Amino acid sequence: MRELVVEADGGSRGNPGPAGYGAVVLDPATGETLAEAAGYIGVATNNVAEYKGLIAGLRAALELAPDATVRVRMDSKLVVEQMSGRWKIKHPDMKPLAAEAALAFPRDRVRYEWIPRERNKHADRLANEAMDAGRRGEQWSPRDTSAARAAATLPAAPAGPPGDAAAGAARAREALAAAAAEPAVGDRSAARGGAPSGGGRAQPPVPGTGLQDPSAAEPAPAGSAPAGSAPAGSVPAGSAPAGPAPARPAERPPTAAPDLSAPATFVLLRHGETALTPEKRFSGSGGSDPELSEAGRRQAAAVAEALAARGTIQHVVSSPLARCRQTAETVAARLGLDVVVDQALRETDFGAWEGLTFGEVRERYPEDMDAWLASPKAAPTGGGESFTAVARRVAAARDRLAAAHAGRTVLLVSHVTPIKTLVRLALGAPPESLFKMELSAASLSAVAYYADGNASVRLLNDTSHLRR
């Protein structure tokens, strides 16, 4: 189902005074303008004008795509809270306008989000243009509708994750649709450097032999391909497809058409810090289940603001552990969404190692530690989970959630091992890669999953929101 964004505003010069409204319908993936609406309404208050802008925006969205879902963004806290049902509508002038807005677009497919005034400049400009036109005794008309008409004909594109070049991806999909014989260029990202591979623990160097790849026991990674080959329908960026160039287009060998449908995009959020995180202690699903520390709560608030500003998240799914639920609830409250708990997103059970540092485990259980470092099939001391067992659990959750949220952008709030495992499987990387990825507390990563089985890692360990 396609999603549209409506930004609306209204104002009066005197409150009450000469008033006008403005609204714009946007493609959430590309940011392109699909429709504009504005009008002069005579003498009225700011709030009346804001409601008029909302109604005009919803009607424009209905005309464009009656089966779409709509995300309304306004800088009027009053309108957003009243239309979301959180504030009562007391003023007699507001009640009929709110009722009219509720009928302008199917209410169950509309959600509301407050944004700062500086992020609502487009609609604000339209409202001022309408007031200026009214002062001159004229009707408002758009400056140039050609771009909007062209944008309205574009195919729907997925709402990309933070850092995704969604506009470029949409144009690439359009070009591929026109020439399906050409292979799609896959977007891949890579990262270097060591990081804790569970609960913020210290990462040791991997022995020279590396972890053994249990090919018979590994889950099939979404979007994976045999070793040494590229995913179907893709070639490495900057390279040409293998094989001699054809003499004429008619002689091209047949190729599978790329999947042009919107992917299920997982934005992967590691929970904020707990008291154990800075001490680099094993903290899995078999330990004390610590809550967020004060630093962790600040991190959760920061990532919530960053995700609200980007405006792409449509669902929130969380690990059942307290640190993830608290992080997820902070973000979901800011986005106006609910949190769904999924047991499969929990961290590894580290058995007897829970609460210990890497050095303490090395001292107390040296043979078990060596076995764990040498093979993903080895479990921590005392009946913990092996990386192979975690990979099976996470891969099953990946497939289930990707099928349930095709074409949607979902925030998964989880832990180091599950997130690294999703990235590893998307890349088709060996198990030892778990020890070679940095994944900080409250960091964001993202993977897109296409219906044809291809996967694209779009982002890894983004912590820019924590440095503002």
Side-chain angles (χ1 to χ4, degrees), residues 51-52 55 89 91-103:
Y51 263 108
K52 289 287 189 179
I55 294 165
I89 304 172
H91 197 287
D93 292 344
M94 298 301 108
K95 290 181 179 180
L97 290 171
E100 189 176 356
L103 295 174

Side-chain angles (χ1 to χ4, degrees), residues 287-321:
S288 59
D289 194 13
E291 296 187 345
L292 292 179
S293 63
E294 181 60 35
R297 288 191 287 273
R298 289 195 300 269
Q299 290 169 338
V303 77
E305 289 302 317
L307 290 173
R310 285 159 169 154
T312 58
I313 303 300
Q314 295 163 293
H315 305 276
V316 179
V317 183
S318 173
S319 156
L321 299 183

